Amino acid sequence: MALIFAMALLWESARIIGGYSELLLPSISVVAYSLLMEKAELLKNAAYSLKLIGFGLAVAVVLAMLLAILCMSSRALQGLFTDVMAVMHPLPGIAILPVAILWFGIGVNSVVFVIVFSAVWPLLNHFYTGFRSIPKNQVEVGKNLGLSGAKLAFYVMLPASLPHILGGLRTGWARAWQASVAAELVFGAAGGHGGLGWYLYKKRFMMETPGVFAGMLVIIAIGLVVEYFIFATLENLTVKKLKQVID
Amino acid sequence: MPLIRVESLTKIYSSTKEGFAGIREVSFEVNEGEVVGVIGRSGCGKTTLLRCIAGFESSDSGKILLDGKSVSRPGPDRFMIFQGLDQLFPWLSLRGNLIFAMKTVNKDANMKELQRKAEYYLELVGLSEWGDCYPYQLSGGMKQRAFLARALSVNPRLLLLDEPFGSLDALGRKAMQDLLLRLWGKTGTTIILVTHDIDECIRLSDRILVFTKGTLKFNLINPLPRPRMSEDPAYMDFYGKISRILEKDANLKWANAVLR
C-alpha cells in the first residue's frame, strides 16, 4: 500500500516539476476518471485477455509437462529438447507472429499460438529442471513401491518438483501476458473482440493517453492479484508449509 | 528352497588393468527369516549387489531368483532402505508416507484399514505421536525409524538395508540396531544388511558375506548366540577373523599414494 502511495506521489511530483502536458503524462485524477468511465469496456477487454491467456497457458502447461516427462524417459529426447530449448527460448513470442498469421490467419488462433509458444519454453525449462533436481532416493522409493511411467510422474515427480513447477507457472504466466498484449498491439483485435492489448492500441491510436495509462493500470492490477492471491497462496499452502523452499 | 538365490551375478561399471568397479561372479543363498550381513571396504561392490537384488541395476550376467522366480525390476517384494535421510516424501506427513506406500502396493485396501496399519507400524518404531508431522520436523534418528516403519508396512519378502544407520552417532546407532532386532523378532522379515561396521554386522547377522574387490570371498555363519556381547571372547575371535580378512584387502597402492 505504502509502495502504491509512494509511486503515486512520484508520478504527480514528476508531472508537476517536469511540467509535462496531459498528453505525455496525465495526472492521476484524469487517469482515474478514465478508468471509471471506461470501466465496462476495460472489464470486458480484461476478461477477454484472461480467457485467451488462460486457454493458451493451459495448453502450454500440458504440452510442457508432457515434453518434460518425455525428456526424463529418454536420453535421446533429452538431448534433442535441450537443443530445441536453447534455440527457441530466447526467441520472443512476438517474433513468431508473422509466421503464426501465415499459418493460422489473422484471428484468435494466431494470438493463442503466440501465447502458447511464448509460455511453453520457460515452462518446459522449469519443469525439466524440477524433475532433474528431485532427490534420487525419492524417485527410487517410488519405483520400489512399483510405480513407473505416468504414475511415477504423477505421484512422485510432480509433487517433488513443486517449487520448480510454481516458478515455471509464474514465468509462463508473465510470458503469456506479454505475448497476448504484444500480439494485439502489433496487429489489433483478435476476431470480433479485443483484449487489453487491443484497448491500449485503440487508445494510443486516438491519442487518449489517460486511457493508455488506465489500460496499463488494469494489467498491473491483474498481475498483482494473480501474484498475491493465487501464486502466493499456492506457495504458502504447499512448498513454504513443507519447507521445500527457504522462507 | 531358499527365499533368494543369487547365481554368478556380474555387474561391472568399468574396468582397468588394475581392477574393476562392480561385482563379479557372486553366488549365495538367503533363507527365509535370515539376517545376512554384507561387509567389505568402500567400493567393494556391496551397494551394487543390493541395488541389483532390488532391481535398480540390471546385471551383466547371472541370475537373481526370489522364490525360484527371476527378478529384474524393482518391486515392493524387495524393499530397500537407502543411504541418506531424504527418503520420505516431504509433501506427505509421516502417517501419509506410510499410507501412500501401502495404498500404492495394495490398491484395494480400504482407508480405515490402512490408517489402522499405519498407527500399528508407527507404534512399532515408537513414532505414534509424530504421525502428523512432516519429514522436515523429524530428527535424523526419527527418520531412520520412519524408513523402517514404511518398509515393514508394505510387508516385503526381503528387506534390503544399505548402511542404514551410517549417518547416526554411536548411541543412535546402537538404539537403531536394537530396534531392528526387535522388529525382526516380531515380523521375521528376511533381511540383507550392507555395512562396513564389523560390530554392526556381528551383532545383527546370522550369516556374514565378506566382499573384497567385487568378489564374495567368504560366506561365514555367525557362531555366536543372541544377544551378542562384545566382551565375549568368542565375539572377539570372530571380530578378529573378519577384521583380518578386511585388512588383507587393504588397498596398499591407495595407502602409498596418500603417504607420497
Side-chain angles (χ1 to χ4, degrees), chain B residues 141-185:
Chain B
M142 288 156 105
K143 281 180 185 163
Q144 297 277 10
R145 282 188 273 162
F147 302 157
L148 277 174
R150 176 170 65 180
L152 292 173
S153 77
V154 299
N155 205 13
R157 298 296 311 275
L158 180 64
L159 193 55
L160 302 163
L161 309 178
D162 187 6
E163 301 192 9
F165 316 133
S167 55
L168 299 180
D169 57 62
L171 282 177
R173 219 176 154 87
K174 171 84 171 48
M176 284 305 295
Q177 290 167 358
D178 290 341
L179 174 68
L180 184 66
L181 283 178
R182 270 207 311 282
L183 294 174
W184 174 70

Side-chain angles (χ1 to χ4, degrees), chain A residues 135-148 151 155-157 159-162 240-244, chain B residues 51 56 74-76 78-80 82-84 86-91 100-101 104-105 107 134 136 150 154:
Chain A
K136 189 178 163 210
N137 278 343
Q138 285 169 24
V139 177
E140 293 198 326
V141 167
K143 286 183 181 168
N144 211 162
L145 289 169
L147 296 173
S148 60
K151 280 188 176 164
Y155 288 114
V156 177
M157 292 165 76
S161 53
L162 208 56
K240 271 195 183 159
K241 183 181 154 203
L242 303 172
K243 309 276 184 234
Q244 275 177 292
Chain B
R51 291 181 61 80
F56 291 119
R78 289 148 289 136
F79 205 83
M80 182 152 167
F82 306 90
Q83 295 178 28
D86 55 354
Q87 298 171 51
L88 293 171
F89 298 128
W91 59 94
F100 174 79
T104 307
V105 172
K107 284 161 197 72
Y134 283 85
Y136 75 90
R150 176 170 65 180
V154 299

Side-chain angles (χ1 to χ4, degrees), chain B residues 17-148:
Chain B
K17 269 182 212 157
E18 284 152 22
F20 62 95
I23 47 175
R24 181 173 281 168
E25 293 289 326
V26 172
S27 301
F28 64 93
E29 291 178 352
V30 178
N31 295 316
E32 184 110 46
E34 246 188 325
V35 181
V36 171
V38 179
I39 194 160
R41 307 177 76 87
S42 295
C44 73
K46 306 183 296 278
T47 299
T48 305
L49 170 71
L50 220 55
R51 291 181 61 80
C52 283
I53 297 176
F56 291 119
E57 304 287 344
S58 53
S59 58
D60 297 339
S61 65
K63 269 189 201 155
I64 299 161
L65 303 167
L66 181 78
D67 283 328
K69 282 181 213 134
S70 174
V71 288
S72 55
R73 293 165 61 86
D77 50 1
R78 289 148 289 136
F79 205 83
M80 182 152 167
I81 296 183
F82 306 90
Q83 295 178 28
L85 291 171
D86 55 354
Q87 298 171 51
L88 293 171
F89 298 128
W91 59 94
L92 295 173
S93 67
L94 182 49
R95 185 180 294 108
N97 265 282
L98 264 67
I99 291 175
F100 174 79
M102 291 187 282
K103 180 96 186 147
T104 307
V105 172
N106 179 9
K107 284 161 197 72
D108 305 325
N110 80 48
M111 202 55 193
K112 265 215 171 111
E113 175 65 12
L114 292 182
Q115 254 155 0
R116 195 192 59 74
K117 274 174 88 176
E119 292 314 320
Y120 171 76
Y121 286 106
L122 286 177
E123 197 184 326
L124 218 53
V125 299
L127 289 176
S128 297
E129 290 166 31
W130 302 85
D132 291 326
C133 291
Y134 283 85
Y136 75 90
Q137 295 167 307
L138 305 176
S139 70
M142 288 156 105
K143 281 180 185 163
Q144 297 277 10
R145 282 188 273 162
F147 302 157
L148 277 174

Side-chain angles (χ1 to χ4, degrees), chain A:
Chain A
M1 207 64 206
L3 182 74
I4 294 172
F5 187 72
M7 281 174 76
L9 199 72
L10 201 69
W11 179 346
E12 276 303 299
S13 36
R15 199 181 65 80
I16 292 162
I17 296 165
Y20 297 114
S21 93
E22 287 280 340
L23 269 182
L24 288 179
L25 189 63
S27 71
I28 292 174
S29 58
V30 177
V31 172
Y33 181 74
S34 163
L35 254 177
L36 210 66
M37 284 295 104
E38 311 227 353
K39 203 170 52 187
E41 196 184 348
L42 270 168
L43 275 176
K44 208 174 81 188
N45 285 335
Y48 188 73
S49 279
L50 283 173
K51 206 172 85 182
L52 285 190
I53 291 164
F55 179 70
L57 195 59
V59 172
V61 166
V62 172
L63 205 63
M65 193 52 83
L66 288 176
L67 290 176
I69 293 172
L70 276 179
C71 282
M72 288 305 288
S73 60
S74 144
R75 224 168 253 277
L77 282 175
Q78 198 173 313
L80 177 71
F81 278 109
T82 312
D83 292 345
V84 171
M85 213 146 52
V87 174
M88 296 300 193
H89 198 174
L91 199 63
I94 196 68
I96 211 85
L97 187 64
V99 185
I101 293 172
L102 275 178
W103 289 348
F104 302 107
I106 294 176
V108 183
N109 291 346
S110 288
V111 177
V112 170
F113 180 78
V114 171
I115 292 173
V116 173
F117 183 88
S118 304
V120 78
W121 304 113
L123 282 169
L124 176 59
N125 194 11
H126 274 89
F127 292 174
Y128 179 59
T129 310
F131 284 170
R132 287 214 310 183
S133 53
I134 302 171
K136 189 178 163 210
N137 278 343
Q138 285 169 24
V139 177
E140 293 198 326
V141 167
K143 286 183 181 168
N144 211 162
L145 289 169
L147 296 173
S148 60
K151 280 188 176 164
L152 185 69
F154 184 77
Y155 288 114
V156 177
M157 292 165 76
L158 221 59
S161 53
L162 208 56
H164 288 272
I165 290 179
L166 276 178
L169 288 179
R170 274 200 167 106
T171 316
W173 158 256
R175 287 290 197 92
W177 251 120
Q178 289 163 12
S180 87
V181 172
E184 287 188 331
L185 269 175
V186 171
F187 85 153
H193 308 280
L196 283 170
W198 171 235
Y199 183 87
L200 291 181
Y201 180 90
K202 275 192 306 187
K203 295 296 167 189
R204 183 194 61 87
F205 191 73
M206 306 286 196
M207 269 317 254
E208 285 180 38
T209 315
V212 174
F213 274 87
M216 290 199 297
L217 282 180
V218 172
I219 293 176
I220 292 171
I222 293 175
L224 287 176
V225 167
V226 169
E227 172 58 37
Y228 285 105
F229 288 96
I230 299 180
F231 285 127
T233 313
L234 268 178
E235 201 172 63
N236 286 334
L237 286 176
T238 56
V239 293
K240 271 195 183 159
K241 183 181 154 203
L242 303 172
K243 309 276 184 234
Q244 275 177 292
V245 290
I246 295 163
D247 209 349

